[in-house]
Amino acid sequence: MAISPTDRGREPRSDGGADSALETPSDGADSADTRSTASAISSDDHWLASYARDHVAHLLVVAAFALYPIVLGVLDRTPLATEASSFLPGLTAMIVVLYMGLFAMSFDFVSGYTGYLSFGHAAFYGTGAYVVVLAANGKVPGVPADTPFMLIVLLAALLAFVVALAIGAVSFRLSGVYFAMITLGFAQVIYEFVRHWGYVGTNPTEGATIATPDGLSIGVPYVDSLTFAVGRLTGDRFENVLGLGIDVSATMTSYYALGAVVLVCYFAMQRILHSPFGKVMVAIRENEERARAVGYDVFWYKMAAFATSGFFAGIAGALFAAYARGASPDNSFYFLVTADALIMAIIGGIGSLAGPLYGALFHEWLGDILTTDDEGIATYLEQFLPEGILTTEIGGVTLYDLVGTALTGRAPLYLGIIFVLFVLFVPDGLLGSLRDRVGGPVGKRLPDVLDRYRR
Amino acid sequence: MATDLPLVVDTLARLFQPDTLARILVEGLGKAAVYFVLAVGLTLVFGLMGVLNFSHGAMAMLGAYIGGLLMVLAVSDGTGTVARIAFFFVAIVAVFAVLTAFGSTIEYSLIRPIYDRTPMYQILLTFGLALIVEEVTRIVVLARGIQPDPAWSAAMATAPTQFTDRHDLLGASIRGLYAFEIVLGVLAVVGVWLFLNRTLYGLYIRAGSEDPEMVEALGVDVRRTFTIVFGLGTGLAGIGGVFLMWDPLWGPSALLAMDVLLYAFVVVIIGGLGSFEGTVVASLLVGITDSFTTWLFSTGIVTFTGLPALTIFGLLVLMLILRPQGLYGVEEVGGH
């Protein structure tokens, strides 16, 4: 049942992202680990320096994400502007990467690490989204409409946590396909309920929008100077930040604000997975009966993992609703939302916490370059190719039509094909395969690799 | 609440009127027939191969489109009722043939290489397949201008007028299509039962569902059986799609793929994954519940429009809580 390489008859290896000191001695990674720890101690660095050294992979990724809008802005002023906007994901797509990435990570947290496929994960995402929408419209009893957004997010996450506990209490009596089906069933019951729940808005099937015009503020609660407005194309603008001549657009503010929340959530989840608790989760995935025999009360471990995952899925949903300034049953509670997270997790590498983020990046990038709303590949080809080639007829169809029908908005088709190819040939996903190549979790191996080049 | 009471009493009294019962029963049986045909292929495939086929709904959608296309090509304004029904059966046979071949090809080329992995990968693969089929259908449908509007009225219009009209039965007005669906459903149940109990491959399937290793040890080529059964399951999904073509509640549309899939799952889970009898009983249960809740909504006693769908998924959850293996399921099957 568990989604892990061990099921395909390979040498059992303890899992990737959650690896720490419990690495099996035969793993080969062990000697390298001791060396790195030893060197960290002997060099007697400041603790912050050694911490940074251990997390160099994380720092690089965070830096890449942080610099991306700036790079995009610079490219926009170069002769490569058309290429950049055609082949690179736009900033709005990157924001989707952030919250969908968080949702996919929370899905992976329970499905990838305990091996229980939660096919109804959209229930928690939707709960988070709807709490934000309803709270911002003043429809949650006891929560005034002007409650700080961070508190609403916390409330949304806690409610998702409770919903997850309730669903998990019933569902964890089952396993395998039946677990997937019962979670799907619960999510569909909630979906059908919300779809026809007149309290949400006049047309509940269409969902509800947040009525406040200037977006929700995100930031540190009760500290006004650290509060940013978040919402599509609203948000605060900062011009000439710190006198450096950098302008931060409204979309960029949303991007950084959401990015900060996602980053905090990622490290929280990573911390949990690295703890003994996370070890038990992996143990349940690898062999639940043995984990029980060792003496763990696996039911409560699974419940806790599921509820924690629901908590973070709720945050992802809350961010989504705040950014999209609304939610509908079809983009929050429907089971295809779970399926999106599943696709991201598989492409990125299920069973590695950061993998789904890269899966989300890939997913949104593909969707972004194949639309015509933004400038995508189709637009680029139409501008770039000479008129003669575009109007050449091949079997009665012009290339122009072919590009239009085969590329524009066809992301689901290519995603489907890529997804099938990944399932068949790259079951470990992008990060999982990279991990196999470097012989351990990338984040753990990278410092040593860098050290080798430094000396 | 006091003012509501007479309404409740009144409704309960009306429930036992012959016209109400006739309406609930006939509509329920008609819906049950559709649910059965949609679900039976899924349960056959799962029972033998342990593969939960997420592309089942997409195949039903293909069936609806191909069947609809055949009907639109064959039927003109002057075509009589008998001829239309005859064409309908031709369409069923054609769709069954095409989709059985398609399904067998898919099993042979895509699913066969990953039997040695966990069942999760087969779910993932068939789900990806569903995405591809759905999207390709969308592209073809849009590019060829087959379906400018969401409900493909050209295909719906090929139904004989006797089916779209309402007929008087014990005082209830019932759409003629439901009677036709009941006949088709009985034919389908008998057909699949005969296949399972009177043919060699039916024997392989029943035996393979019990103990695939023993069947293999007895010299049956299980791989070939898998290919054939997956093909048949896909073909049955296609027939289900053709059934939906005239149904005003469904009709050919790209959205069919995921809707059908969810309803087929509900029926299969309630009946017990892999059980033929279970599928029959569960489709009756779901069909009649569906028509009952629809009627309940129409009386005004319940104002919640989502009641039928909510109840059906509620049934799924309830069944999984009370009896996870389903009505007729064996605990071992699929307990991976």
Side-chain angles (χ1 to χ4, degrees):
Chain A
M1 178 67 208
I3 303 171
S4 85
T6 51
D7 293 306
R8 279 169 291 110
R10 275 193 220 158
E11 179 86 4
R13 60 159 200 210
S14 63
D15 167 64
D19 276 4
S20 62
L22 291 180
E23 200 90 68
T24 43
S26 64
D27 209 319
D30 188 48
S31 56
D33 267 355
T34 17
R35 179 158 48 80
S36 80
T37 332
S39 71
I41 294 167
S42 64
S43 61
D44 210 17
D45 283 337
H46 189 264
W47 69 269
L48 207 59
S50 64
Y51 189 82
R53 192 180 158 283
D54 285 347
H55 287 269
V56 65
H58 290 130
L59 290 174
L60 287 175
V61 172
V62 171
F65 268 84
L67 292 176
Y68 183 73
I70 298 166
V71 171
L72 209 58
V74 169
L75 275 178
D76 209 31
R77 275 179 247 134
T78 63
L80 288 172
T82 329
E83 281 75 11
S85 63
S86 301
F87 295 102
L88 291 176
L91 205 51
T92 46
M94 290 301 286
I95 293 177
V96 182
V97 169
L98 290 176
Y99 63 72
M100 276 312 284
L102 177 59
F103 178 52
M105 280 193 268
S106 80
F107 167 81
D108 190 30
F109 183 88
V110 65
S111 296
Y113 282 87
T114 64
Y116 278 77
L117 190 75
S118 165
F119 231 95
H121 226 61
F124 316 129
Y125 184 74
T127 304
Y130 267 74
V131 166
V132 167
V133 172
L134 292 178
N137 290 341
K139 280 188 168 174
V140 177
V143 181
D146 59 346
T147 313
F149 179 64
M150 291 307 275
L151 292 185
I152 301 181
V153 168
L154 203 60
L155 179 76
L158 284 175
L159 198 67
F161 183 87
V162 172
V163 171
L165 276 182
I167 292 178
V170 183
S171 306
F172 275 115
R173 299 164 54 213
L174 308 173
S175 64
V177 172
Y178 292 93
F179 179 82
M181 283 295 120
I182 195 170
T183 46
L184 173 66
F186 272 115
Q188 280 300 112
V189 167
I190 303 177
Y191 165 75
E192 291 294 347
F193 175 71
V194 172
R195 229 157 82 90
H196 302 279
W197 192 29
Y199 185 74
V200 174
T202 45
N203 189 352
T205 318
E206 295 285 308
T209 47
I210 294 173
T212 40
D214 43 325
L216 293 157
S217 49
I218 192 171
V220 181
Y222 308 114
V223 184
D224 283 346
S225 58
L226 286 175
T227 300
F228 308 104
V230 167
R232 180 167 297 175
L233 305 181
T234 60
D236 298 324
R237 297 173 54 85
F238 298 93
E239 274 159 29
N240 200 3
V241 176
L242 302 172
L244 293 172
I246 302 169
D247 293 343
V248 177
S249 72
T251 321
M252 263 161 100
T253 317
S254 295
Y255 174 77
Y256 286 120
L258 294 188
V261 176
V262 172
L263 186 67
V264 170
C265 290
Y266 169 77
F267 277 113
M269 280 193 272
Q270 201 219 21
R271 194 56 251 152
I272 296 170
L273 289 173
H274 281 205
S275 72
F277 176 78
K279 292 290 149 198
V280 181
M281 284 170 64
V282 175
I284 289 171
R285 182 187 73 191
E286 298 300 331
N287 193 333
E288 183 165 349
E289 267 143 44
R290 204 176 290 176
R292 190 183 293 119
V294 170
Y296 291 113
D297 190 346
V298 287
F299 175 78
W300 286 107
Y301 275 95
K302 289 186 289 188
M303 283 285 276
F306 195 60
T308 310
S309 166
F311 183 88
F312 289 108
I315 294 183
L319 293 181
F320 151 70
Y323 173 67
R325 310 241 268 125
S328 76
D330 281 308
N331 64 20
S332 60
F333 277 110
Y334 197 46
F335 88 106
L336 286 181
V337 179
T338 310
D340 275 343
L342 177 72
I343 293 173
M344 291 171 187
I346 294 292
I347 291 180
I350 197 158
S352 63
L353 190 60
L357 184 69
Y358 303 117
L361 188 61
F362 183 81
H363 188 280
E364 294 308 322
W365 169 74
L366 199 65
D368 193 57
I369 62 167
L370 291 178
T371 59
T372 43
D373 301 347
D374 261 353
E375 290 155 322
I377 285 186
T379 324
Y380 178 76
L381 285 179
E382 280 158 24
Q383 288 170 355
F384 181 73
L385 291 175
E387 189 69 24
I389 295 183
L390 278 177
T391 48
T392 312
E393 288 206 2
I394 310 159
V397 186
T398 61
L399 191 64
Y400 184 83
D401 291 339
L402 198 69
V403 167
T405 39
L407 287 180
T408 305
R410 294 292 161 223
L413 173 66
Y414 298 106
L415 265 178
I417 294 172
I418 288 164
F419 179 71
V420 167
L421 292 178
F422 264 75
V423 170
L424 282 173
F425 302 113
V426 200
D428 293 337
L430 295 171
L431 198 60
S433 304
L434 187 62
R435 185 180 282 172
D436 278 353
R437 181 63 57 87
V438 299
V442 179
K444 285 184 75 64
R445 309 297 303 157
L446 194 62
D448 293 326
V449 174
L450 289 182
D451 265 2
R452 203 175 304 150
Y453 287 106
R454 208 167 56 182
R455 281 169 200 152
Chain B
M1 200 58 220
T3 50
D4 287 347
L5 204 56
L7 184 62
V8 175
V9 173
D10 183 44
T11 309
L12 277 179
R14 270 183 38 212
L15 175 60
F16 293 104
Q17 299 294 313
D19 62 326
T20 314
L21 286 179
R23 181 184 155 179
I24 293 178
L25 194 70
V26 174
E27 287 195 6
L29 288 177
K31 288 179 176 178
V34 172
Y35 287 137
F36 171 77
V37 185
L38 287 177
V40 69
L42 193 64
T43 210
L44 285 186
V45 168
F46 186 88
L48 181 69
M49 303 153 70
V51 172
L52 198 55
N53 181 11
F54 265 65
S55 66
H56 196 77
M59 300 306 175
M61 181 197 64
L62 271 188
Y65 271 115
I66 297 175
L69 210 58
L70 291 175
M71 291 303 286
V72 170
L73 289 178
V75 172
S76 66
D77 286 342
T79 316
T81 304
V82 179
R84 285 181 188 218
I85 295 178
F87 283 136
F88 184 82
F89 282 101
V90 172
I92 283 189
V93 172
V95 165
F96 184 72
V98 169
L99 284 185
T100 303
F102 184 47
S104 302
T105 318
I106 285 171
E107 196 281 339
Y108 185 80
S109 56
L110 290 179
I111 305 179
R112 186 170 280 196
I114 59 167
Y115 277 120
D116 52 342
R117 295 204 214 155
T118 62
M120 206 49 63
Y121 280 98
Q122 290 135 31
I123 290 183
L124 297 175
L125 184 85
T126 50
F127 179 72
L129 199 65
L131 290 183
I132 296 174
V133 169
E134 194 183 334
E135 208 50 34
V136 168
T137 311
R138 265 181 217 270
I139 292 178
V140 172
V141 160
L142 283 174
R144 293 274 142 220
I146 294 172
Q147 191 169 31
D149 56 327
W152 190 22
S153 46
M156 301 275 256
T158 58
T161 45
Q162 281 87 343
F163 291 172
T164 46
D165 289 348
R166 292 181 174 275
H167 298 273
D168 196 63
L169 185 77
L170 292 170
S173 99
I174 290 160
R175 212 182 280 271
L177 185 64
Y178 286 114
F180 183 56
E181 281 176 351
I182 292 173
V183 174
L184 288 178
V186 171
L187 284 179
V189 171
V190 173
V192 177
W193 187 86
L194 284 176
F195 168 72
L196 283 176
N197 290 287
R198 292 284 183 275
T199 64
L200 190 60
Y201 269 98
L203 181 69
Y204 290 170
I205 292 174
R206 283 181 295 134
S209 301
E210 296 284 326
D211 193 341
E213 275 154 26
M214 184 58 83
V215 173
E216 198 163 14
L218 290 173
V220 177
D221 186 351
V222 174
R223 294 212 145 193
R224 201 170 64 193
T225 314
F226 278 12
T227 307
I228 289 170
V229 169
F230 196 85
L232 289 177
T234 309
L236 283 168
I239 293 184
V242 181
F243 273 37
L244 297 179
M245 182 177 69
W246 284 346
D247 199 318
L249 291 175
W250 304 79
S253 118
L255 300 172
L256 217 56
M258 292 306 163
D259 285 351
V260 164
L261 183 68
L262 290 175
Y263 282 100
F265 276 158
V266 172
V267 172
V268 163
I269 296 272
I270 290 178
L273 274 163
S275 154
F276 171 74
E277 294 88 345
T279 310
V280 177
V281 175
S283 47
L284 285 172
L285 185 69
V286 172
I288 291 183
T289 310
D290 189 353
S291 78
F292 175 69
T293 45
T294 311
W295 171 79
L296 206 61
F297 170 70
S298 72
T299 59
I301 189 171
V302 184
T303 51
F304 190 75
T305 41
L307 189 69
L310 192 71
T311 319
I312 287 172
F313 288 112
L315 267 179
L316 166 74
V317 169
L318 200 69
M319 179 53 76
L320 281 168
I321 293 172
L322 298 177
R323 204 177 143 80
Q325 71 272 36
L327 288 171
Y328 287 78
V330 189
E331 201 137 8
E332 288 305 308
V333 173
H336 311 282

